[in-house]
Amino acid sequence: MADETKNPPRKRAAKKAAPKKTSASNGKAASPQTVPDAADFRMYTEGGHTHESLGLEKDELLEMYRSMMLQRRFEERAAQMYGRQKISGFLHLYIGQEAVSTGTIHALEPTDPIITAYRDHGLGLARGMTANESMAELFGKIDGSSRGKGGSMHFFDVEHHFYGGHGIVGGQIPLAVGLGFAGKYKGTGAVAVGFFGDGAINQGAFHEAANLAALYEIPVLLVCENNGYAMGTSVDRSVSQPDLYKQAYGYNMTGALVDGMDVFTVYHAMRELAKQAREENKPALVEIRTYRYRGHSMSDPQKYRTKEEMEAKKNEDPIIKLKAYLIDHKLADNAQLDAIDDEVKAEVNASVEFAENSPYPPLETMYEDVYVQEDYPFIV
Amino acid sequence: MAELQFREALRDAMTEEMVRDENVFLMGEEVAEYDGAYKVSQGMLDQFGPKRVIDTPISENGFSGMGIGAAMMGLRPIVEFMTWNFTFVAFDQIISNAAKMRYMSGGQLKVPIVFRGGNGAAGQLAATHNNSTEAFYTNVPGLKVIAPSNPDDAKGLLKSAIRDDDPVLFMESEVMFGMKGEVSDEEDYLLPIGKARIAREGDDITLVAHSKSYWLAMEAAEELAKQGYEATVIDPRTLRPFDTEAVIDSVKQTNRLVIVDECSPYGGIASEVAFRIQSQCFDHLDAPIARVTAKDTPAPYAKNLIEAWMPTVDEVIDASKKALYVN
Ligand SMILES: Cc1ncc(C[n+]2csc(CCOP(=O)(O)OP(=O)(O)O)c2C)c(N)n1
Ligand SMILES: [Mg+2]
């Protein structure tokens, strides 16, 4: 096999030890003991990283801060524009989860393909989508990233190796495995990263994809952004194993638990896991615990959670946390960070104007992008 | 008669059947504690408890199959899908198992199950969330497909669907859940599956339209009346079985037929109806049968595009006038 040299021989987890026989002193028949296999679980929950320990330079830290602010301000404005009916359909905000996108994107190579579900603005912007093309897409205008065809749930930026926003829960997870497969097949050395929600882990698509990833030793990270809820359903009401990372065990792959409210922790974890995937073709299931501050979409009364819970989580705001770190470590002062905030706001405001001024897609564009064939015989 | 919202009519139907028959239960995403994603099942958890109103994970393939298995054991599940768009994940269970179990077992088994939820386009939701799925499912022998246009039909037909011993797919619409209408307060209000409703009678042209499209047809008929043309409007209500007779009877009088159908045009409901009519009363037709459907592309997001993509009243009027040979 030509691949043999590149890929180390398959290592299977140690065979399950035969159940040990216990001496049944009480005279009853011995029941088999459970001897768990050694599971490969990694805990990235401690925190305490410094930029030095992570090898992050000041410029990159400020870039991370800027990216998180851009995601936050962009969505705050998008919510406003939804209220003014400039945006319609479903709008799912990522607010609160920005450490996940930002930490991951900075931990990856820019050419590593990523893919996610419909809560996709944060990852898109973090990967390099412009506020302009993003806002124009939300407005359904021709200058939008998908020419007004996709809307909020279907952001794509292939130039930046962002393979989309996907509307069907779980549907993108097998695609992530395919992105990783292609990288291995072509020998690009890329690691694919597929994001999905805690609700999506209950889709058959996840389980089939996880098995394929491990079976074929595909360089892919399956990243479950556990924000506690799938719409109004909490994880413990919907998943038999609510420690989601432990589901990796069944697929014989690494399971990692990551604190998603701390951008340093996410960065650290994703860098290590991406390295392992890249160098050893070892996929992993990564559960990143995070929190969405807003409702599921724009029409969610949020009766399923308490004010106290929300307040407590707001104290963990990943942006405030990074800001405090930057100031405490004298990497930036308030004035500098305010200036970044102002810049970001200006960028977002400009994007609203850009989106307003962009024309609606001409009607004939409806028939474009369905097939490559330009004169495809549509039924009209 | 009581004026009810569409969602209330559905809720009443389910509630009455659950009171009447212990074997009926409801399951689906957010149906219990959240009171339903579209509030159809509001209050039902309180009334029936968690044994009979069951929140599921987002596992359409799993819980559809579980429902079918339970039905094979004599229970009568109502499986709610948040929308029919998400049934593609459960396609195999519905088609390979629900539809074919009776046949493959030579009649030993039955699958008395109802799958229900919102179907069709519901605004700027883009390509994954705007599917009109009825044509996919009417293609499958073994399934019954119902798509009512108003609260009264919704109630009477859902009750019949729950009592039916075969799998019934019940298609509602997210944008119609709030629609109000008079609903019969007859005790045990049951409507026959497979019977069309003649909503309006006129001699000049026949319009056939179900679910949301029915309202387009009615609006077009009013406008045509102002211009001097009287339309018969037929709401088939049930798509499989389809009440072909009702359409034939009408076409024999009007000699012209327009079908309004939100499905994609290729092999949609309209294609099937047109085939039946041309083959069974060709001699009565004075004009080619016309159809108004969604456009032949995935659903776009942009406001102007999705508006152009959907069938419109104007398109129904235009198609009708063409069939009437007037401009
Ligand atoms: C197959 C499928 N079923 C149902 C839905 C409706 N739906 C959209 S989002 C969602 C909740 C998903 O929650 P989770 O995976 O935790 O992601 P989050 O919204 O928290 O980011 C549901 C049920 C869908 N889009 N696709
Ligand atoms: Mg979630």
Side-chain angles (χ1 to χ4, degrees):
Chain A
M1 239 169 57
D3 248 18
E4 208 76 305
T5 43
K6 254 193 250 161
N7 298 335
R10 281 186 94 83
K11 269 192 230 134
R12 285 280 181 190
K15 277 235 175 78
K16 207 172 202 157
K20 274 190 203 147
K21 287 220 173 84
T22 47
S23 53
S25 53
N26 58 5
K28 281 187 200 155
S31 56
Q33 277 191 341
T34 348
V35 182
D37 285 357
D40 181 12
F41 293 149
R42 319 259 174 95
M43 297 294 116
Y44 296 96
T45 47
E46 288 292 295
H49 301 283
T50 64
H51 65 289
E52 287 111 339
S53 72
L54 296 172
L56 284 167
E57 301 290 337
K58 180 178 156 179
D59 283 356
E60 188 158 12
L61 294 172
L62 292 180
E63 191 35 57
M64 283 175 155
Y65 180 75
R66 187 180 194 288
S67 173
M68 289 170 86
M69 285 306 290
L70 176 64
Q71 296 168 55
R72 179 74 54 100
R73 297 289 178 242
F74 177 87
E75 288 201 320
E76 286 168 353
R77 282 292 268 170
Q80 244 178 23
M81 292 300 120
Y82 194 91
R84 290 186 209 160
Q85 292 173 329
K86 297 288 181 189
I87 300 170
S88 186
F90 290 135
L91 182 71
H92 307 88
L93 302 182
Y94 196 66
I95 291 178
Q97 303 183 206
E98 296 94 340
V100 180
S101 53
T102 312
T104 303
I105 294 303
H106 281 261
L108 297 178
E109 296 299 324
T111 47
D112 288 335
I114 62 167
I115 189 166
T116 187
Y118 45 82
R119 201 178 294 286
D120 56 1
H121 315 142
L123 271 159
L125 290 167
R127 230 332 152 62
M129 286 180 73
T130 64
N132 279 357
E133 66 183 329
S134 304
M135 194 63 84
E137 188 59 33
L138 296 183
F139 276 53
K141 299 297 188 72
I142 191 68
D143 296 308
S145 41
S146 294
R147 312 177 74 214
K149 289 195 165 101
S152 164
M153 297 194 289
H154 310 104
F155 274 20
F156 287 82
D157 183 1
V158 174
E159 200 186 315
H160 287 105
H161 308 276
F162 174 43
Y163 287 87
H166 294 268
I168 299 302
V169 168
Q172 78 281 11
I173 308 173
L175 302 184
V177 177
L179 301 179
F181 176 88
K184 184 176 172 187
Y185 189 94
K186 294 189 193 171
T188 62
V191 175
V193 183
F195 295 85
F196 52 97
D198 46 278
I201 207 162
N202 298 317
Q203 280 289 6
F206 164 74
H207 297 276
E208 298 185 22
N211 182 51
L212 291 168
L215 183 70
Y216 296 149
E217 300 180 308
I218 290 178
V220 61
L221 301 179
L222 303 179
V223 180
C224 181
E225 289 191 74
N226 180 357
N227 59 10
Y229 298 92
M231 265 183 189
T233 305
S234 61
V235 171
D236 54 336
R237 287 210 302 119
S238 57
V239 196
S240 57
Q241 172 49 279
D243 283 333
L244 306 179
Y245 67 94
K246 289 184 182 162
Q247 297 198 20
Y249 180 65
Y251 301 105
N252 201 12
M253 64 177 164
T254 302
L257 178 66
V258 181
D259 172 8
M261 301 311 273
D262 180 40
V263 69
F264 285 176
T265 305
V266 174
Y267 174 81
H268 171 64
M270 294 304 283
R271 212 173 45 168
E272 282 195 3
L273 294 162
K275 184 168 189 281
Q276 169 179 298
R278 201 183 311 277
E279 293 175 1
E280 301 170 51
N281 284 319
K282 270 190 167 176
L285 169 61
V286 189
E287 176 188 358
I288 305 189
R289 293 217 176 134
T290 178
Y291 201 74
R292 68 165 154 72
Y293 290 155
R294 301 297 184 93
H296 169 75
S297 65
M298 300 308 284
S299 58
D300 176 4
Q302 304 186 56
K303 286 189 199 141
Y304 48 85
R305 56 184 180 183
T306 62
K307 279 232 163 57
E308 291 72 36
E309 176 182 307
M310 296 223 272
E311 285 312 312
K313 292 287 183 184
K314 288 218 166 122
N315 291 331
E316 294 179 38
D317 190 324
I319 297 187
I320 296 175
K321 195 165 177 180
L322 178 59
K323 186 173 182 177
Y325 182 93
L326 293 171
I327 290 172
D328 287 351
H329 289 75
K330 306 214 168 3
L331 292 156
D333 57 23
N334 265 316
Q336 268 172 298
L337 297 180
D338 287 350
I340 293 179
D341 200 1
D342 289 344
E343 251 173 63
V344 163
K345 271 189 199 143
E347 190 177 334
V348 170
N349 287 343
S351 78
V352 170
E353 206 175 305
F354 176 82
E356 277 284 11
N357 293 332
S358 172
Y360 280 107
L363 281 187
E364 66 272 14
T365 64
M366 182 155 71
Y367 289 95
E368 295 169 3
D369 310 314
V370 185
Y371 295 101
V372 63
Q373 183 186 340
E374 283 189 12
D375 59 350
Y376 177 88
F378 289 101
I379 300 174
V380 286
Chain B
M1 291 290 239
E3 178 159 273
L4 294 182
Q5 285 184 1
F6 209 107
R7 59 163 65 80
E8 293 168 330
L10 295 168
R11 186 188 309 147
D12 285 359
M14 292 193 289
T15 301
E16 287 176 22
E17 292 307 298
M18 283 177 66
V19 167
R20 182 180 164 270
D21 182 351
E22 273 288 320
N23 285 329
V24 181
F25 66 97
L26 171 67
M27 68 174 163
E29 292 155 29
E30 310 288 0
V31 298
E33 294 197 11
Y34 199 79
D35 268 338
Y38 295 98
K39 303 294 168 239
V40 173
S41 56
Q42 192 158 38
M44 289 180 67
L45 174 64
D46 289 343
Q47 183 172 352
F48 296 104
K51 181 183 172 195
R52 300 181 68 197
V53 180
I54 304 167
D55 274 329
T56 63
I58 313 171
S59 309
E60 285 86 356
N61 187 40
F63 66 74
S64 297
M66 187 180 133
I68 295 164
M72 289 159 66
M73 297 295 286
L75 298 183
R76 309 186 78 86
I78 305 168
V79 173
E80 175 175 310
F81 292 117
M82 206 168 272
T83 75
W84 279 89
N85 297 292
F86 312 139
T87 65
F88 300 157
V89 178
F91 217 48
D92 177 55
Q93 287 297 338
I94 298 173
I95 292 176
S96 302
N97 292 340
K100 292 164 184 167
M101 200 60 69
R102 180 188 289 278
Y103 196 73
M104 289 188 303
S105 69
Q108 296 180 67
L109 283 167
K110 60 178 181 179
V111 182
I113 192 169
V114 173
F115 295 103
R116 48 155 291 270
N119 176 54
Q124 287 181 257
L125 302 182
T128 55
H129 282 57
N130 264 345
N131 293 286
S132 289
T133 65
E134 48 272 58
F136 298 134
Y137 290 110
T138 50
N139 197 241
V140 183
L143 300 178
K144 293 182 179 177
V145 180
I146 299 175
S149 67
N150 63 75
D152 188 67
D153 288 345
K155 179 169 181 194
L157 284 165
L158 182 53
K159 281 172 65 81
S160 297
I162 295 168
R163 292 194 202 179
D164 199 283
D165 269 348
D166 286 313
V168 180
L169 280 50
F170 203 88
M171 300 185 176
E172 302 145 16
S173 159
E174 290 135 275
V175 297
M176 292 201 306
F177 282 135
M179 167 197 281
K180 286 190 171 167
E182 295 294 327
V183 175
S184 164
D185 39 27
E186 192 182 306
E187 208 175 299
D188 233 10
Y189 182 54
L190 297 166
L191 289 171
I193 293 172
K195 277 266 1 106
R197 183 173 63 90
I198 313 296
R200 187 183 193 287
E201 288 192 82
D203 289 337
D204 300 322
I205 189 163
T206 303
L207 307 180
V208 172
H210 67 276
S211 187
K212 200 150 81 257
S213 301
Y214 163 80
W215 297 98
L216 294 185
M218 286 301 276
E219 224 181 301
E222 295 306 319
E223 183 53 38
L224 287 167
K226 283 184 205 149
Q227 299 180 25
Y229 307 100
E230 291 299 336
T232 289
V233 177
I234 299 178
D235 178 354
R237 305 193 287 192
T238 303
L239 301 174
R240 186 183 183 108
F242 189 92
D243 189 352
T244 316
E245 283 312 309
V247 183
I248 291 176
D249 288 349
S250 172
V251 169
K252 280 184 177 165
Q253 286 173 17
T254 63
N255 315 111
R256 295 160 210 277
L257 174 62
V258 174
I259 307 147
V260 194
D261 169 21
E262 224 183 273
C263 290
S264 294
Y266 203 133
I269 301 295
S271 319
E272 175 65 24
V273 177
F275 170 78
R276 292 189 191 193
I277 299 310
Q278 66 78 29
S279 64
Q280 293 183 51
C281 56
F282 184 75
D283 290 341
H284 292 275
L285 285 169
D286 283 349
I289 299 170
R291 66 178 169 185
V292 179
T293 65
K295 304 301 174 286
D296 192 19
T297 77
Y301 166 74
K303 187 173 192 314
N304 64 323
L305 294 188
I306 187 72
E307 281 170 5
W309 185 85
M310 297 283 292
T312 63
V313 174
D314 283 345
E315 287 173 338
V316 181
I317 294 170
D318 286 352
S320 303
K321 286 180 152 177
K322 224 171 168 181
L324 287 157
Y325 295 117
V326 293
N327 294 304

